[in-house]
């Protein structure tokens, strides 16, 4: 998978954090709301007091999909792709779209924690592994 | 928008083809628009408004292409509805608003799209960098609506017991309607067994859950109810329309993972429906880029409760002769992916009583929808006059 994220002024901190194997999510310094996808303002306070902070990387699976016929060039060794939507423990509804590592198929409700996958393209994908 | 200020008076499709036929998006746009304008009893010189979707990306053309190509002299308003929005429905709603506001009197809304010739539609070249929110999805290979909506379908199945057999019934019933439509790209009847034997693309979606990519142009013509009285066919009035996306329209961060933006657009549409309700609807033309979208839209419009879509479709309601004839042209699934403009054109033909072999008897009220996930547009159309 060669599609790389664009590390622009909003998303750059997330991807730089991933490169350092830290999961960083924007957070409002006034009300404490976690903001993802990144936005320059807090949608509740409408202030710009928003900075990336490290999260636990733990959460649970809220949905899944399994790609057999990928829409983008994909290493056959990585098929099928086990997609997950993960809701992080920090806040209800704070979700990441990601994939799980390993062969075991995830199910809704499974607990997961973040792992970092350094890709050949020079970026790092936060992915998840199933935990007991 | 205010009720009954706009009438749909013409509609037309080009031939629908699955393989390149040497006719590109530009020629199809002119063919579809000219045919729809003449279907309305008008000529291009009568048109003073144009709207299109997408009208700006590879494979489509701008409104200006049609203005120039059909020699329109007096266009006063146009829009290329690219970007976020419920696909072709966006162009129709924008055109309706323009007519209602007096920005133009006769508008043509079209969708013409020719698939890329060199690779499969939807495929994304490698080595690209993607911006903004898509950057949080595409690097995972999570790059197509198939996958984004598969995750919504999985969640629906988890919460409500919806099954792949329910999705199969939608594929089967939609194909039954398509078999009555000579224009449809896929007319061979299919069974639930065919669906089960169809390979997974992105679980839980099989190939027969996905729409059929085609090259086609489709157009509709809108004008005021006053002007419509002088035209050849029964006017189809826009009772209500909404593009309400809800508070957090997003493939990943939506408020919940079972009600798409569809729920908000449909609710807003009914709130301005002037007394009409779900029980008054004779047929539904709901966006079906995937079988699951049909189910989700039927729930959104209130033909059944949230989570009851599986049982509703299993009753056979959607089939010819069923209690809610749905996607009577065969939808995106079987007529072909016209990004929802086919749904609008079919609603117009049915309500005009020009549905041919698939005419729903005494059809007077139809819902039409576009989009899925965070994209939603809903229209309530009706006709009162006999002509």
């Amino acid at each position: 998978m060669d599609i790389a994220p664009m590390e622009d002024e909003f998303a750059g901190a997330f991807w730089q954090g991933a490169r350092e194997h830290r999961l960083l999510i924007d957070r409002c310094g006034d009300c404490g709301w976690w903001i993802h996808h990144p936005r320059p303002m807090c949608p509740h306070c409408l202030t710009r007091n928003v900075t990336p902070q490290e999260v636990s990387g733990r959460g649970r699976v809220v949905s899944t999909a399994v790609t057999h016929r990928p829409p983008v060039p994909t290493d056959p060794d990585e098929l099928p792709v086990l997609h997950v939507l993960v809701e992080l423990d920090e806040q209800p509804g704070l979700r990441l779209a990601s994939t799980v590592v390993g062969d075991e198929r995830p199910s809704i409700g499974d607990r997961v924690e973040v792992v970092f996958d350094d890709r050949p393209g020079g970026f790092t994908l936060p992915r998840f592994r199933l935990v007991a | 928008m205010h009720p009954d200020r706009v009438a749909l008076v013409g509609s037309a499709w080009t031939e629908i083809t699955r393989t390149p036929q040497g006719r590109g998006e530009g020629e199809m746009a002119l063919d579809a628009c000219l045919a729809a304008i003449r279907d309305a009893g008008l000529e291009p010189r009568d048109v003073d408004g144009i709207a299109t979707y997408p009208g700006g990306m590879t494979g489509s053309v701008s409104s200006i292409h049609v203005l120039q190509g059909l020699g329109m002299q007096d266009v006063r308003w146009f829009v290329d509805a690219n970007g976020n929005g419920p696909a072709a429905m966006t162009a129709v709603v924008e055109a309706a608003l323009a007519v209602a506001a007096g920005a133009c009197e006769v508008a043509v809304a079209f969708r013409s799209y020719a698939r890329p010739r060199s690779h499969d539609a939807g495929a994304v070249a490698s080595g690209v960098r993607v911006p903004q929110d898509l950057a949080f999805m595409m690097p995972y290979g999570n790059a197509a609506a198939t996958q984004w909506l598969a995750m919504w379908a999985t969640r629906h199945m988890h919460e409500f017991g919806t099954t792949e057999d329910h999705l199969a019934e939608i594929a089967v019933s939609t194909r039954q309607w398509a078999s009555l439509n000579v224009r449809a790209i896929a007319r061979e009847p299919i069974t639930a067994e065919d669906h089960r034997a169809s390979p997974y693309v992105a679980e839980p979606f099989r190939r027969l859950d996905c729409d059929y990519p085609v090259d086609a142009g489709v157009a509709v013509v809108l004008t005021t109810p006053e002007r419509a009285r002088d035209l050849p066919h029964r006017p189809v009035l826009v009772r209500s329309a909404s593009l309400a996306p809800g508070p957090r329209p997003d493939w990943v961060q939506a408020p919940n993972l079972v009600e798409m933006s569809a729920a908000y657009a449909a609710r807003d549409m009914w709130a301005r429906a002037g007394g009409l309700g779900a029980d008054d609807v004779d047929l539904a033309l709901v966006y079906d880029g995937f079988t699951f979208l049909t189910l989700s839209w039927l729930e959104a419009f209130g033909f059944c409760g949230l989570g009851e879509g599986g049982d509703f479709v299993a009753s056979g309601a959607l089939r010819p002769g069923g209690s809610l004839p749905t996607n009577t042209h065969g939808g995106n699934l079987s007529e072909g992916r016209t990004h929802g403009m086919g749904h609008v054109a079919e609603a117009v033909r049915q309500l005009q009583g020009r549905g041919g072999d698939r005419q729903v008897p005494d059809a007077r009220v139809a819902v039409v929808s576009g989009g899925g996930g965070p994209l939603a547009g809903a229209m309530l159309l009706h006709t009162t006059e006999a002509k």
Side-chain angles (χ1 to χ4, degrees):
Chain A
M1 287 180 250
D2 311 310
I3 295 179
M6 191 177 287
E7 301 184 35
D8 61 13
E9 65 272 32
F10 301 132
F14 180 94
W15 296 109
Q16 184 55 38
R19 205 171 274 119
E20 299 162 5
H21 290 202
R22 301 164 66 215
L23 186 58
L24 301 182
I25 302 289
D26 280 353
R27 191 177 197 191
C28 175
D30 290 349
C31 74
W33 188 255
W34 297 95
I35 303 160
H36 191 72
H37 304 117
R39 296 288 186 269
M41 293 171 69
C42 173
H44 298 294
C45 303
L46 307 182
T47 62
R48 291 171 199 270
N49 184 15
V50 173
T51 51
Q53 291 187 25
E54 189 163 4
V55 293
S56 66
R58 286 189 286 273
R60 64 188 175 87
V61 174
V62 295
S63 199
T64 65
V66 181
T67 293
H68 297 263
R69 291 162 184 265
V72 292
T74 302
D75 184 343
D77 293 341
E78 299 197 346
L79 291 176
V81 181
L82 305 176
H83 301 278
V84 283
L85 286 185
V86 173
E87 192 157 297
L88 296 175
D89 287 346
E90 275 72 12
Q91 179 173 286
L94 179 65
R95 303 190 197 111
L96 295 182
S98 186
T99 50
V100 295
V101 295
D103 296 329
E104 189 182 346
R105 294 215 174 182
S107 298
I108 291 175
D110 285 350
R111 296 287 305 168
V112 290
E113 81 180 6
V114 72
V115 295
F116 293 93
D117 184 357
D118 299 320
R119 305 297 293 181
F123 59 96
T124 298
L125 290 179
R127 300 176 66 192
F128 287 86
R129 69 179 185 89
L130 300 174
V131 294
Chain B
M1 61 186 293
H2 297 300
D4 300 345
R5 300 275 180 91
V6 180
L8 287 143
V9 292
S11 59
W13 291 252
T14 66
E15 187 185 2
I16 294 171
T17 58
R18 76 178 288 194
T19 49
Q21 58 178 358
R23 299 174 68 243
E25 59 273 17
E27 188 179 358
M28 293 191 300
L30 299 187
D31 285 346
C33 288
L34 182 59
I37 292 163
R38 289 187 167 156
D39 182 61
L42 297 166
E43 288 295 322
R45 64 175 174 272
D46 299 312
V47 174
D48 59 358
I50 314 173
T52 190
Y53 163 90
M57 54 183 270
T58 304
S60 69
V61 295
S62 165
S63 300
I64 296 303
H65 173 85
V66 166
L67 182 156
Q68 295 177 344
L70 296 183
M72 295 173 181
Q73 302 293 310
D74 299 311
V75 168
R76 296 189 288 150
W77 176 90
F78 71 94
V79 66
D80 295 345
N82 206 347
N84 268 350
M89 173 66 76
T90 320
V92 179
V93 172
E94 294 291 346
L97 291 170
V99 170
C104 57
E105 188 184 16
V106 176
V108 62
F110 74 94
R111 173 273 188 202
S112 178
Y113 183 71
R115 299 169 62 213
R117 299 309 197 240
S118 55
H119 57 82
D120 288 340
V124 178
S126 61
V128 298
R129 302 184 81 83
V130 290
Q132 301 171 13
D133 293 354
L134 282 176
F136 294 94
M137 300 161 70
M138 292 181 66
Y140 295 92
N142 186 15
T146 321
Q147 301 159 304
W148 308 338
L149 282 165
M151 288 198 262
W152 291 60
T154 301
R155 186 75 200 181
H156 200 278
M157 291 171 161
H158 173 79
E159 290 200 23
F160 304 119
T162 310
T163 66
E164 292 186 18
D165 283 347
H166 292 141
L167 303 185
E169 168 60 22
I170 294 168
V172 168
S173 66
T174 309
R175 185 65 63 84
Q176 287 178 339
W177 283 111
S179 69
L180 303 173
N181 177 3
V182 294
R183 200 172 40 239
I185 198 80
R187 302 185 63 200
E188 286 295 308
I190 55 172
T191 64
E193 289 69 35
D194 293 330
H195 179 270
R196 231 169 273 139
S198 164
Y200 280 122
V201 179
E203 286 180 57
F205 293 154
R206 300 176 181 277
R207 184 180 286 155
L208 283 176
D209 291 306
C210 303
D211 66 6
Y212 211 118
V214 295
D215 290 358
V218 188
V220 295
V221 176
L222 307 89
T223 189
T224 62
E226 295 73 27
R227 183 82 180 266
R229 276 192 215 109
D230 302 328
L231 301 179
H233 303 299
R234 187 189 295 161
V236 173
L237 296 169
V238 180
R239 170 56 62 91
S240 181
S242 177
L243 301 177
R248 194 83 197 269
D250 190 292
W251 292 105
V252 174
Q253 313 292 346
N256 63 55
L257 291 171
V258 291
E259 278 187 305
M260 308 186 304
S261 288
Y264 299 91
R267 207 173 292 150
D268 186 50
M269 183 200 83
W270 286 127
R272 300 151 203 281
L276 290 177
D279 289 346
D280 299 307
V281 172
D282 298 307
L283 76 161
L285 285 306
V286 295
Y287 198 85
D288 60 338
F290 303 92
T291 50
F292 173 72
L293 287 184
T294 302
L295 184 149
S296 194
W297 270 111
L298 294 174
E299 291 181 353
F301 278 123
F303 297 114
C304 58
L306 177 63
E308 297 171 359
D311 287 342
F312 183 76
V313 303
S315 73
L318 282 53
R319 295 182 173 216
S323 60
L324 185 70
T326 297
N327 291 346
T328 52
H329 59 316
N332 285 339
L333 291 173
S334 288
E335 189 195 59
R337 181 198 296 155
T338 61
H339 291 109
M341 195 62 95
H343 294 72
V344 180
E346 174 72 4
V348 172
R349 291 292 173 110
Q350 285 277 354
L351 294 178
Q352 289 175 334
R354 301 166 68 211
D357 291 345
R358 55 185 190 278
Q359 177 66 48
V360 174
D362 302 319
R364 287 289 180 271
V365 180
V367 291
V368 190
S369 72
L375 317 172
M379 294 182 92
L380 180 62
L381 305 179
H382 75 115
T383 186
T384 51
E385 300 168 41
K387 187 175 238 176

